């Protein structure tokens, strides 16, 4: 039995004869141009989808920690009457919310971190190779024990606790993030603030080689932030070293950032290298850039609109539709007493 | 270019202008618009509208400078796409960001200049899109049509202002769009003044000007 020999390729009718040659050319033009347009669109306009994975944190304390220790309670001024010092019900310290967590992907791919890029969706990509070790933080100013801390020394100050906070951005969107870290007061206690200290000033790393966004003066670098000392000592004010049980990813401010859940997100300064205690109110980056739009306090306040847009509602990332923004981002029970007697419209 | 080839070129342009919108729609169906999908879709359609608008306004100066008058055949399509993307942009804002509430949309517009300016831009583009057919050009009449379609410039400036007012501090992109518009508008004003002074001196139209101008009425 014999099989017929295969047809030599030279005998196959060339496609340009088989098809109408012009149609083929046109189909080619249509395919090539639309593919190029699609490629250009994809290159210029991609929603963030970087896989951001950092090492797991060791020794994370996950319990809800509704503390009965008056120092950890809502009122940091310690107004607890010794007779009533053992409350029957635990006070809600605000450390946890039962609201649905924002996905790790969204938390790490939607960031305002102008030190890398002003595009929220691209921060994860641009910060991909950011190295945050070794890292030191200078704690100085009006303190009895100024010190340059190595990152590991700060991490040893306290075991990382998981705290689930709402985060409200001044742009009108919000997230729910399981942070890891501890109250900033633990670090401040270690350096012993002087009686004359009234404010705490923070500074982000300035290194345009590692943070390429700093080559463009989107803000007056380095980024600086500040809190009143009583705000800084409030138990909710957190020095975050991680999220989702992992070390802090670069787009979220590796290796160390501030989290102040009742204030707009930009108060939560990232990648901190310096903390100093001062007598006078320190300058803050967004306030310097646009004093009429961003105040020193920047407490979340649905009744005080940004001059250009409303703050009454917010887009919770992962939800459809907008939800009402809460006064002090829902932490009024814990922090409202810090502002007793203050006009929050003037001190926005 | 033969008539047949021009028709094909227009078809290719039509398709390519639709590609970003189709991809956006596809990504939306796949739930692939990132952390803040509504904002992403609003931003993308707004940007596409602005790009089409600037390109449509660049056609006439480009045709005059290069002498390649056939590109004027693409102007209408770019203008209509600018309107369509702006309409979708507003539609997403109304339908998703404002949850279809007319009262909340109107109150936000009255309170926020950036929204008012954006709405003004869309309202200026609407009659231009509506009068973009050959039949409408005839009905409106060449001269009046030209005058009406100069609204494309204020519409563009309003769109850029709308964008500029949204940005917190990095104004590079809105500034770049604004600068491009100013250059294009400047060119047209300059060309118009020159043409008038030439007419006053009772000289004929400049070489290369007449054939372009007649191709399709100017915006």
């Amino acid at each position: 039995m014999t099989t017929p020999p295969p047809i030599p390729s030279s005998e196959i009718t060339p496609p340009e004869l088989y098809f109408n040659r012009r149609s083929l050319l046109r189909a080619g033009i249509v395919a090539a141009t639309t593919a190029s347009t699609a490629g250009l669109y994809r290159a210029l306009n991609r929603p963030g989808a970087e896989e951001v994975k950092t090492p797991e944190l060791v020794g994370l304390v996950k319990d809800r920690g509704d503390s009965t220790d008056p120092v950890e309670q809502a009122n940091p001024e310690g107004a607890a009457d010794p007779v009533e010092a053992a409350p029957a019900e635990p006070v809600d310290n605000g450390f946890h919310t039962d609201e649905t967590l924002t996905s790790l992907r969204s938390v790490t791919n939607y960031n305002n971190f102008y030190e890398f890029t002003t595009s929220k969706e691209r921060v994860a990509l641009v910060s991909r190779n950011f190295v945050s070790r070794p890292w030191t933080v200078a704690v100085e100013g009006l303190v009895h024990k100024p010190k340059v801390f190595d990152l590991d020394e700060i991490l040893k100050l306290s075991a990382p606790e998981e705290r689930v906070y709402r985060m409200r951005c001044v742009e009108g969107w919000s997230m729910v993030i399981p942070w890891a870290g501890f109250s900033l007061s633990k670090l401040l206690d270690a350096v012993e603030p002087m009686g004359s200290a009234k404010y705490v000033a923070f500074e982000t790393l300035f290194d345009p080689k590692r943070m390429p966004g700093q080559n463009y003066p989107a803000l007056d670098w380095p980024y600086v932030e500040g809190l009143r000392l009583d705000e800084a000592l409030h138990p909710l004010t957190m020095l975050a070293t991680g999220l989702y049980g992992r070390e802090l990813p670069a787009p979220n401010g590796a290796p160390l950032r501030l989290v102040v859940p009742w204030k707009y997100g930009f108060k939560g300064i990232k990648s901190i290298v310096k903390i100093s205690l001062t007598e006078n109110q320190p300058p803050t980056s967004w306030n310097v850039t646009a004093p009429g739009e961003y105040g020193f306090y920047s407490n979340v306040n649905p009744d005080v609109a940004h001059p250009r847009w409303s703050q009454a509602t917010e887009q919770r990332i992962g939800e459809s539709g907008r939800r009402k923004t809460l006064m002090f981002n829902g932490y009024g029970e814990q922090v409202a007493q810090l502002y007793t007697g203050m006009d929050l419209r003037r001190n926005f | 270019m033969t008539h047949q080839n021009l028709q094909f070129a227009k078809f290719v342009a039509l398709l390519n202008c639709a590609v970003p919108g189709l991809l956006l729609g596809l990504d939306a169906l796949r739930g692939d618009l990132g952390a803040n999908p509504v904002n992403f879709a609003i931003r993308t359609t707004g940007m596409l509208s602005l790009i089409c608008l600037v390109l449509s306004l660049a056609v006439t100066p480009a045709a005059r400078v290069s002498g390649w008058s056939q590109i004027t055949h693409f102007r209408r399509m770019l203008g209509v796409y600018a309107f369509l993307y702006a309409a979708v942009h507003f539609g997403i804002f109304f339908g998703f960001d404002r949850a279809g509430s007319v009262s909340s949309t109107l109150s936000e517009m009255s309170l926020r200049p950036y929204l008012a300016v954006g709405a003004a831009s869309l309202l200026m583009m609407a009659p231009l899109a509506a009068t973009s057919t050959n039949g409408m050009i005839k009905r409106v009449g060449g001269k009046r049509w030209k005058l009406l379609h100069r609204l494309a410039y204020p519409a563009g400036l309003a769109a850029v202002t709308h964008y500029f007012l949204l940005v917190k501090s990095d104004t590079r992109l809105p500034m770049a769009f604004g600068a491009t518009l100013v250059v294009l508008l400047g060119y047209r004003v300059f060309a118009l003044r020159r043409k008038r002074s030439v007419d006053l001196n009772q000289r004929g139209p400049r070489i290369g000007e007449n054939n372009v101008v007649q191709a399709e009425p100017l915006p």
Side-chain angles (χ1 to χ4, degrees):
Chain A
M1 200 172 102
T2 56
T3 46
I7 301 163
S9 64
S10 58
E11 280 180 25
I12 297 171
T13 312
E16 58 267 28
L17 291 183
Y18 186 79
F19 298 109
N20 180 315
R21 190 160 171 263
R22 163 174 272 188
S23 316
L24 192 76
L25 185 69
R26 288 190 162 181
I29 290 172
V30 166
T33 56
T34 51
S36 310
T37 306
L40 192 66
Y41 172 81
R42 285 270 183 257
L44 294 178
N45 199 43
R46 63 158 161 201
E50 287 286 309
E51 183 83 34
V52 179
K53 245 188 172 177
T54 51
E56 273 184 46
L57 284 170
V58 184
L60 183 69
V61 180
K62 277 201 152 192
D63 44 288
R64 295 192 48 114
D66 288 319
S67 168
T68 50
D69 175 357
V71 180
E72 292 286 305
Q73 275 176 19
N75 187 347
E77 303 304 311
D81 182 343
V83 181
E84 293 173 357
E89 294 167 48
V91 174
D92 178 16
N93 55 21
F95 287 0
H96 291 267
T97 167
D98 293 329
E99 290 167 69
T100 309
L101 299 181
T102 305
S103 71
L104 178 62
R105 170 168 283 216
S106 290
V107 168
T108 52
N109 279 283
Y110 199 67
N111 312 86
N112 276 312
F113 202 171
Y114 286 14
E115 281 79 349
F116 290 106
T117 163
T118 53
S119 162
K120 285 188 278 294
E121 277 109 343
R122 294 187 84 92
V123 171
L125 180 74
V126 179
S127 68
R128 200 169 31 171
N129 298 317
F130 181 70
V131 177
S132 59
R133 270 174 199 267
W135 193 272
T136 58
V137 183
V139 188
E140 55 187 50
L142 302 174
V143 295
H144 292 293
K145 293 181 173 171
K147 185 177 173 176
V148 177
F149 288 86
D150 188 79
L151 180 64
D152 288 322
E153 291 176 292
I154 291 183
L155 296 176
K156 274 181 208 141
L157 282 175
S158 182
E161 307 156 26
E162 180 151 273
R163 298 203 195 158
V164 183
Y165 285 169
R166 289 176 288 276
M167 207 279 297
R168 169 64 156 79
C169 177
V170 76
E171 294 170 348
W173 52 267
S174 62
M175 294 182 177
V176 178
I177 304 173
W179 298 107
F182 47 83
S183 295
L184 173 67
S185 61
K186 290 198 167 139
L187 175 65
L188 297 179
D189 289 347
V191 294
E192 297 178 14
M194 294 177 183
S196 53
K198 298 281 182 291
Y199 293 91
V200 186
F202 304 85
E203 197 177 300
T204 295
L205 173 72
F206 178 73
D207 188 348
K209 283 204 187 78
R210 294 157 73 193
M211 295 181 149
Q214 290 174 332
N215 289 309
Y216 171 74
L219 293 165
D220 192 6
W221 310 118
Y223 194 87
V224 288
E225 256 307 334
L227 295 171
R228 228 167 50 191
L229 185 59
D230 58 345
E231 296 176 321
L233 290 173
H234 192 283
L236 277 174
T237 301
M238 187 180 184
L239 209 49
T241 56
L243 53 78
Y244 266 103
R246 299 176 171 280
E247 284 179 17
L248 203 57
N252 303 88
L256 193 70
R257 68 169 291 168
L258 184 69
V259 179
V260 195
W262 71 93
K263 293 177 180 282
Y264 291 119
F266 67 86
K267 294 294 289 182
I269 184 169
K270 301 184 176 108
S271 305
I272 300 168
V273 292
K274 196 165 108 184
I275 298 174
S276 65
L277 284 90
T278 63
E279 189 165 2
N280 299 315
Q281 184 178 304
T284 58
S285 285
W286 278 103
N287 180 249
V288 169
T289 300
E293 301 191 342
Y294 312 98
F296 174 80
Y297 288 96
S298 289
N299 293 319
V300 175
N301 189 339
D303 301 325
V304 177
H306 183 282
R308 290 180 284 158
W309 55 82
S310 165
Q311 296 292 24
T313 63
E314 64 200 48
Q315 172 74 56
R316 174 66 54 85
I317 299 303
E319 278 182 5
S320 60
R322 298 179 73 89
R323 53 163 70 206
K324 280 197 160 62
T325 289
L326 305 172
M327 186 64 201
F328 295 118
N329 201 21
Y331 297 97
E333 194 189 325
Q334 290 82 20
V335 302
Q337 92 285 345
L338 292 170
Y339 308 101
T340 310
M342 275 177 71
D343 180 356
L344 295 177
R345 281 188 177 277
R346 231 162 50 83
N347 298 290
F348 59 86
Chain B
M1 217 187 294
T2 64
H3 176 72
Q4 214 185 359
N5 281 343
L6 181 67
Q7 287 305 108
F8 173 67
K10 279 177 144 181
F11 169 72
V12 170
L14 186 88
L15 217 54
N16 276 281
C17 286
V19 163
L22 293 173
L23 284 178
L24 182 71
L26 185 73
D27 288 349
L29 289 178
R30 293 191 307 194
D32 207 6
L33 295 183
N36 199 344
V38 170
N39 185 274
F40 187 86
I42 289 178
R43 207 155 16 100
T44 302
T45 47
M47 191 69 88
L48 288 168
S49 172
L50 201 49
I51 291 170
C52 290
L53 189 57
V54 168
L55 285 178
S56 76
L57 291 174
V59 165
T60 302
R64 291 211 188 147
V65 170
S66 70
W68 189 21
S69 61
Q70 277 182 318
I71 57 172
T72 51
H73 290 291
F74 299 94
R75 190 176 54 200
R76 164 165 44 193
M77 184 193 304
L78 288 166
V80 172
Y81 264 112
F83 169 74
L84 284 178
Y85 278 127
V88 174
H89 175 73
F90 174 78
I92 301 170
F93 168 74
F94 172 71
F96 291 91
D97 192 87
R98 294 290 113 201
S101 157
V102 176
S103 63
S104 129
T105 305
L106 290 178
S107 83
E108 276 299 291
M109 275 183 185
S110 65
L111 287 168
R112 319 291 163 211
Y114 86 92
L115 289 175
V117 172
S121 176
L122 181 62
L123 286 177
M124 282 188 268
M125 279 193 258
L128 308 194
T131 57
S132 64
T133 59
N134 288 338
M136 284 306 284
I137 297 172
K138 277 209 187 93
R139 269 172 67 183
V140 177
K143 238 181 180 165
R144 279 201 301 170
W145 190 93
K146 262 194 206 181
L147 208 62
L148 175 69
H149 279 245
R150 290 206 176 126
L151 269 180
Y153 286 96
L157 291 173
V160 168
T161 309
H162 166 71
Y163 184 14
F164 183 84
L165 285 175
L166 262 176
V167 170
K168 283 200 300 177
S169 82
D170 185 355
T171 54
R172 282 175 289 184
L173 263 177
M175 290 297 258
F177 277 112
T180 310
L181 271 182
V182 167
V183 168
L184 294 174
L185 183 59
Y187 173 82
R188 295 302 295 272
V189 171
F190 172 75
L192 199 70
R193 290 182 69 154
R194 198 158 130 169
K195 182 172 176 284
R196 278 198 186 138
S197 75
V198 169
D199 288 350
L200 279 176
N201 292 336
Q202 305 208 317
R203 292 193 208 133
R206 286 189 307 127
I207 299 159
E209 203 170 47
N210 50 350
N211 55 342
V212 176
V213 175
Q214 303 313 325
E216 247 179 71
L218 294 174

